[in-house]
Amino acid sequence: DLTLAPSFVGSPVLNGHRDLAPKVVLHGLTGPIEGKTYPGEMIAMGSNGDKWIADVLSFVKNSFGNQLGFVTESEVARIRKETESRTKPWTFEELLSSVPQVLPNREQWKLTASDNAKDLKYAIDGDLSTRYTVGKSMKPGMWVQIELPEKTEITGIILDAATSRNDYPRGYEVVFSDDGKTWGKPVAKGKAKDKGEPSKTIIEFKAQPTKFIKITQTGSHRLYWSIHELDVLGAAK
């Protein structure tokens, strides 16, 4: 059963870090993908304009059963500039190592929370059908804390509300600590849109090392704050 290219459904490029798909379209992709070899390589299409690339990727990310948000012209322009010295297609391994990676050691994390801490295990169980939820309407000051097994350089956090699509945080603040007692200034602050917000809240910031991470929900809403899956992004290799 020969297929010419990987499926758009469940694609690690489309579902992964948002820089991956533009990098592939700009410079192409060659060699095995997740251990499988395809007849040809994905050719570079960087000769097309930033808007064309953004429009095509936005269509793909929201078709074929996908609901993965949109790509902007300014994002493509940024990635084009950052990779302008590249003269050959990516390999799959090289492509993945060029962006922040999900930390693989969640079973070693220690989680605490301001509300309903007993259900935190469901936020890191690898099952999108289960969830951690605060169990009450969102209000400022609710928090979830992660203690990593060792000090690690990180650059982002992903809060996936999955099927509880509207249970995303209406606002958020992220702070770091080396000991879980003394906290630094926020490394990220944000406010979610009232409508059209995807179920995944992706919080990115300048890479820096930490052992403790506290995510505080800063908005108000009648709905619960829920996390079906919680991931931390390590700095790109």
Side-chain angles (χ1 to χ4, degrees):
D1 183 23
L2 181 66
T3 54
L4 295 178
S7 172
F8 287 143
V9 179
S11 164
V13 172
L14 293 176
N15 285 273
H17 191 277
R18 62 185 303 110
D19 285 5
L20 290 176
K23 284 184 173 184
V24 169
V25 175
L26 284 167
H27 302 290
L29 184 65
T30 189
I33 299 172
E34 296 190 304
K36 187 173 182 179
T37 300
Y38 296 89
E41 67 178 38
M42 168 70 181
I43 63 171
M45 291 184 277
S47 59
N48 292 287
D50 298 336
K51 185 178 186 305
W52 183 90
I53 293 173
D55 288 348
V56 168
L57 286 175
S58 293
F59 171 76
V60 173
K61 279 176 168 278
N62 291 279
S63 304
F64 313 102
N66 294 321
Q67 292 183 344
L68 301 173
F70 295 88
V71 178
T72 66
E73 185 178 353
S74 61
E75 282 181 291
V76 178
R78 171 183 60 79
I79 296 166
R80 186 191 293 274
K81 183 172 179 58
E82 291 175 354
T83 60
E84 61 185 353
S85 64
R86 187 164 193 86
T87 58
K88 61 181 181 179
W90 302 92
T91 65
F92 187 63
E93 291 73 19
E94 186 184 20
L95 178 70
L96 291 184
S97 68
S98 74
V99 299
Q101 297 293 300
V102 169
L103 296 185
N105 59 353
R106 292 195 304 179
E107 71 282 355
Q108 299 176 41
W109 298 359
K110 296 178 182 178
L111 301 182
T112 53
S114 59
D115 299 87
N116 198 28
K118 66 180 178 61
D119 284 347
L120 281 167
K121 59 182 179 290
Y122 299 124
I124 56 172
D125 64 356
D127 184 352
L128 280 174
S129 69
T130 63
R131 67 171 178 167
Y132 161 74
T133 181
V134 294
K136 62 181 76 170
S137 296
M138 276 182 256
K139 64 179 181 180
M142 294 174 164
W143 54 266
V144 170
Q145 180 179 305
I146 307 165
E147 180 184 350
L148 301 174
E150 59 186 6
K151 199 169 184 179
T152 305
E153 190 172 32
I154 70 166
T155 189
I157 296 163
I158 302 175
L159 308 173
D160 192 344
T163 53
S164 303
R165 185 173 179 80
N166 293 311
D167 287 7
Y168 58 87
R170 277 6 188 221
Y172 58 80
E173 179 179 282
V174 179
V175 292
F176 289 168
S177 173
D178 288 337
D179 58 9
K181 298 176 182 178
T182 303
W183 298 89
K185 295 180 179 179
V187 297
K189 298 173 75 171
K191 184 176 181 181
K193 298 176 183 177
D194 291 332
K195 294 181 179 179
E197 187 75 3
S199 60
K200 279 188 179 181
T201 300
I202 302 175
I203 307 169
E204 294 184 279
F205 36 80
K206 184 178 179 180
Q208 52 187 294
T210 189
K211 183 174 172 63
F212 292 84
I213 307 162
K214 180 179 283 187
I215 309 150
T216 301
Q217 201 289 130
T218 60
S220 297
H221 201 280
R222 61 179 177 79
L223 294 175
Y224 296 176
W225 178 27
S226 299
I227 304 172
H228 283 244
E229 286 297 313
L230 168 62
D231 284 302
V232 174
L233 297 173
K237 298 177 183 177

